[in-house]
Amino acid sequence: MNKYETLLLLSPELSEEERAGILETLDGVIQKGSGAVAEVDDWGMRELAYPVRKMTRGRYVRLVHVSPGELVAELERIIRITDGIFKFVTVKLEEKVQPQEA
């Protein structure tokens, strides 16, 4: 298993319940694929460097997870079809991490 970091840019128009629902969905996808979420870090509302879908603000959420490599493709597929997520990026942090260490 590898350790990954996924940075999400969420719509500023989402309510707290909608944000929580999106994060629960992503957590479920990771756990279903035999991974584990290590950390969820909400960076809050920030100004964007350039407009994205005519929005100048967005909420950043950092998601650190330990999962097999093939799960990243499924997670990104789910992110692409989820309303309310403008942009995302996934970066591999470490190789060969045990889920208990996360």
Side-chain angles (χ1 to χ4, degrees):
M1 291 222 209
N2 299 320
K3 189 172 185 179
Y4 296 96
E5 175 182 77
T6 302
L7 185 63
L8 305 168
L9 176 59
L10 303 177
S11 171
E13 299 172 345
L14 292 176
S15 68
E16 186 66 37
E17 294 82 24
E18 291 171 324
R19 281 195 311 268
I22 288 173
L23 294 177
E24 278 183 30
T25 301
L26 298 179
D27 184 24
V29 170
I30 292 169
Q31 289 184 6
K32 182 179 172 187
S34 71
V37 175
E39 182 180 350
V40 177
D41 189 15
D42 187 355
W43 291 355
M45 197 72 69
R46 304 252 175 136
E47 289 290 325
L48 303 178
Y50 55 90
V52 177
R53 296 186 189 172
K54 299 183 182 178
M55 302 280 183
T56 58
R57 296 178 59 81
R59 179 173 293 276
Y60 286 91
V61 177
R62 183 176 154 259
L63 181 68
V64 178
H65 53 96
V66 177
S67 59
E70 56 272 4
L71 181 65
V72 173
E74 176 63 15
L75 181 66
E76 289 182 348
R77 185 187 74 79
I78 297 296
I79 289 172
R80 281 187 189 96
I81 63 174
T82 302
D83 289 336
I85 300 177
F86 288 160
K87 292 191 174 270
F88 68 93
V89 64
T90 301
V91 179
K92 183 161 94 170
L93 298 176
E94 298 176 24
E95 292 188 28
K96 307 300 177 201
V97 176
Q98 297 300 321
Q100 300 87 334
E101 295 175 11

